[in-house]
Amino acid sequence: MWAPPIEPGTMAEANGSAYQLFIDGAEIPASRGERATLTDPATGEPIADLAIGGREDARHAMEAAERAFRESGWAAEDGSARARTLRRLADLLEAEAESIARLETRNMGKPLRESRGDLQYVVRTLEYVGGLADKIQGETIPVPGPRLAYTLREPLGVTVHIAPWNYPLLLAVRSVAPALAAGNAVVLKPASLTPLTAIAFARLAHRAGIPKGILNVVVGPGKSVGEALALDPRCRSISFTGSGEIGLRIAEIAAQRVIPVTLELGGKSPVIVFPDADLDRAAKGIGHGIFGNAGQMCWAASRLIVHESVHAPLLEKLRAIADATKLGPGLEDGIEMGPLVSADQAVRVLEYVRSAVSDGGVLVAGGDRPAEPRLAHGHFVRPTVLDQVPGESRAVREEIFGPVLSVVSFKEIEDAIRIANDTRYGLFAAMWTKDLATAHTVSRRLEAGMVSINEAPNTFPQTPFGGFKESGIGFEQGTKVLESYTRRKNVIVNVAIPRKKAGA
Ligand code: NAD
């Protein structure tokens, strides 16, 4: 289906600042009429009036998705037709990228430069995954006798996607796009704090030609809407990105329902700096890895493990980076770090800093709110560096989800590896060294699903993203991602030629 190009800037705010649920191809109010006001985390000003769904809306979305899966032809379509639709959606999104990036920044707080990067990532994801839609294939299997054995790969049916607030659109599309490419019907529940870009995305998807009911967005509390979606008998898989605590509940539901689940959970990622590292590049990369998105990153490299010989100069560079970071509302020019997403999050982060200091950590930079009166209404916390925080401190063991780096030094390589792996998480790890042998040997020994060498955390739609240990189960991205959104069926055909009867 061809769709006309749209005027850039018209879809993100198609109905001004009023947002509805997106179910069965239409924007509709919540069945009980509930609404909420969202505020800009940088200023506290209202930015949107939003429908808040409940269990009935979750049921409605699941019904619509199941019907669309059976009747719309999306699953039966040739994969290349789905690929073209996803490509069209990528193009529409690219045309709209600026207005949607601005919407993301106003809703979530991150600097516009980062939201623009997120939008480009979403476009590339749709293109990449769209390109996989016509490459879903089974295999033929040699078996004894005159038989043909082969496998088919089929979509699962209705897939449920539950997303967090830190990369609202990017993380929603990361799992929704492959599910769509594989021919499933999708119900997405964005985080209640940051649902606006998901609704703008659904509008564009509809415009791109995704049939009604194939992509639904239900906003509402996790406990009612999220659980109702996961528990619905029509839900054939759950893709969850969020905290470990809720991830555990989702895993219980998946076990109870005997359905597959992908869990992308938290982290407490180490970054090791060896004595031969380029310290200027390392300091910049480490700053990016913990102060980017105001530290609200699952894979934030929040534990720096630095060789004692370069501890002092590296710490000085990090202090300078932290102190020079320009804080402010993300829509202003030149802003390097925005507010945290909510008042609660800012209080939580500062509480961790206090506990680290009372455990013996030394505050090197930040640790408080900025002094500028113009930032007083936003949820800002200064980039923070804490040195020599004891390994058993909560600030070292738990995910802070804010711009807080804890630093410890090491003497021997074995100590660095032991400290790096001394965590219940295993999402990401980084290291800075010019020595190839160190880089590859240590990578193998790090208990993390992703390792960056001489680079800030980096990922691409082409590379798998997933964690070890309590950081999750399964992965997103990469060529294999469609396996999570398809099921495998084995067919065996007896091809024996019947013997002719005697005399026939
Ligand atoms: P959260 O677990 O509080 O919420 C995530 C989503 O789950 C939200 O949409 C929420 O409404 C929903 N939810 C809450 N309770 C639910 C329930 N009982 N049933 C179903 N759904 C429910 O997480 P958050 O605070 O939004 O996000 C921060 C967390 O996400 C951090 O721990 C972070 O590390 C993690 N995260 C992980 C990745 C990754 O790829 N590994 C990426 C981003 C964030």
Side-chain angles (χ1 to χ4, degrees):
M1 191 197 300
W2 180 84
I6 53 167
E7 281 291 301
T10 55
M11 291 303 285
E13 298 187 15
N15 298 316
S17 61
Y19 289 80
Q20 310 282 40
L21 311 181
F22 196 98
I23 299 179
D24 210 10
E27 295 189 51
I28 56 169
S31 58
R32 293 181 176 218
E34 206 179 318
R35 302 197 71 81
T37 300
L38 288 179
T39 54
D40 182 334
T43 60
E45 285 164 11
I47 53 167
D49 166 59
L50 174 78
I52 300 292
R55 288 195 175 82
E56 313 73 21
D57 302 293
R59 247 192 319 273
H60 180 191
M62 294 301 286
E63 256 166 43
E66 206 264 339
R67 195 172 46 248
F69 180 72
R70 267 188 293 108
E71 296 175 3
S72 71
W74 177 251
E77 230 171 31
D78 167 16
S80 64
R82 288 196 301 275
R84 284 194 297 279
T85 306
L86 291 173
R87 174 78 214 204
R88 216 159 31 233
L89 176 53
D91 290 347
L92 289 175
L93 205 64
E94 191 138 47
E96 279 293 291
E98 184 62 17
S99 67
I100 299 181
R102 296 183 82 82
L103 187 65
E104 193 80 298
T105 285
R106 279 172 61 218
N107 189 178
M108 192 271 165
K110 65 178 71 185
L112 187 53
R113 185 176 42 84
E114 293 189 27
S115 294
R116 285 179 178 142
D118 290 2
L119 261 291
Q120 284 312 308
Y121 200 96
V122 170
V123 170
R124 299 284 94 82
T125 298
L126 287 164
E127 290 171 349
Y128 177 76
V129 160
L132 297 175
D134 59 356
K135 296 166 191 70
I136 303 169
Q137 54 199 30
E139 51 193 358
T140 54
I141 305 165
V143 292
R147 292 182 182 86
L148 169 65
Y150 63 93
T151 56
L152 295 171
R153 300 256 311 278
E154 301 174 341
L156 299 169
V158 179
T159 58
V160 165
H161 305 252
I162 301 178
W165 48 258
N166 58 337
Y167 289 86
L169 186 59
L170 189 159
L171 292 177
V173 173
R174 185 174 74 171
S175 73
V176 162
L180 290 173
N184 298 284
V186 159
V187 180
L188 165 66
K189 196 204 89 62
S192 310
L193 284 172
T194 56
L196 302 184
T197 49
I199 299 168
F201 176 76
R203 290 173 183 156
L204 285 177
H206 195 50
R207 176 105 190 187
I210 290 189
K212 73 182 177 111
I214 289 293
L215 170 61
N216 307 276
V217 181
V218 192
V219 180
K223 183 82 188 121
S224 52
V225 172
E227 290 210 11
L229 294 174
L231 283 164
D232 191 288
R234 290 161 287 215
C235 166
R236 300 263 50 103
S237 89
I238 315 170
S239 174
F240 174 84
T241 307
S243 63
E245 184 195 347
I246 307 296
L248 199 61
R249 171 71 189 129
I250 296 293
E252 276 169 11
I253 294 177
Q256 195 180 320
R257 300 238 13 265
V258 199
I259 54 173
V261 63
T262 301
L263 299 176
E264 294 282 1
L265 310 177
K268 193 75 195 173
S269 303
V271 44
I272 306 177
V273 177
F274 289 99
D276 64 334
D278 175 333
L279 289 192
D280 286 322
R281 280 186 60 209
K284 233 171 131 189
I286 293 163
H288 181 77
I290 185 64
F291 304 140
N293 208 21
Q296 301 164 116
M297 298 179 280
C298 52
W299 64 351
S302 52
R303 294 185 297 132
L304 170 60
I305 304 159
V306 52
H307 191 265
E308 58 180 10
S309 64
V310 290
H311 174 253
L314 184 62
L315 209 61
E316 182 46 34
K317 288 178 198 299
L318 288 166
R319 191 195 53 72
I321 288 173
D323 288 350
T325 302
K326 193 165 174 215
L327 270 67
L331 286 181
E332 285 181 13
D333 278 348
I335 291 303
E336 292 167 315
M337 201 171 104
L340 300 188
V341 74
S342 66
D344 287 351
Q345 190 64 12
V347 168
R348 187 171 166 270
V349 168
L350 289 171
E351 174 45 37
Y352 271 111
V353 175
R354 263 188 294 277
S355 79
V357 171
S358 80
D359 289 342
V362 178
L363 195 58
V364 176
D368 52 10
R369 295 174 191 268
E372 294 104 299
R374 74 184 196 95
L375 302 182
H377 297 294
H379 316 308
F380 293 93
V381 171
R382 289 172 61 212
T384 299
V385 180
L386 287 156
D387 193 20
Q388 306 301 345
V389 188
E392 62 281 5
S393 172
R394 278 179 60 223
V396 173
R397 309 215 71 80
E398 297 175 15
E399 186 181 40
I400 298 180
F401 228 56
V404 181
L405 178 70
S406 67
V407 185
V408 67
S409 49
F410 73 93
K411 257 194 189 106
E412 305 296 335
I413 193 167
E414 286 303 320
D415 294 332
I417 295 169
R418 181 185 45 75
I419 298 168
N421 289 337
D422 182 20
T423 166
R424 58 195 169 108
Y425 295 111
L427 190 55
F428 169 77
M431 117 187 53
W432 294 81
T433 177
K434 294 188 190 116
D435 185 77
L436 271 179
T438 304
H440 292 294
T441 315
V442 175
S443 301
R444 284 168 188 239
R445 295 190 53 201
L446 290 172
E447 293 167 0
M450 295 170 281
V451 177
S452 279
I453 299 164
N454 295 333
E455 187 157 43
N458 212 347
T459 185
F460 300 90
Q462 296 87 334
T463 57
F465 193 111
F468 295 173
K469 293 153 80 175
E470 290 184 35
S471 289
I473 302 175
F475 61 93
E476 300 288 357
Q477 305 186 158
T479 49
K480 302 271 190 291
V481 66
L482 263 51
E483 290 187 1
S484 308
Y485 299 102
T486 50
R487 59 187 184 186
R488 203 174 291 268
K489 179 181 283 175
N490 176 226
V491 179
I492 299 178
V493 195
N494 189 312
V495 292
I497 301 171
R499 289 220 183 112
K500 284 200 180 142
K501 284 189 187 133

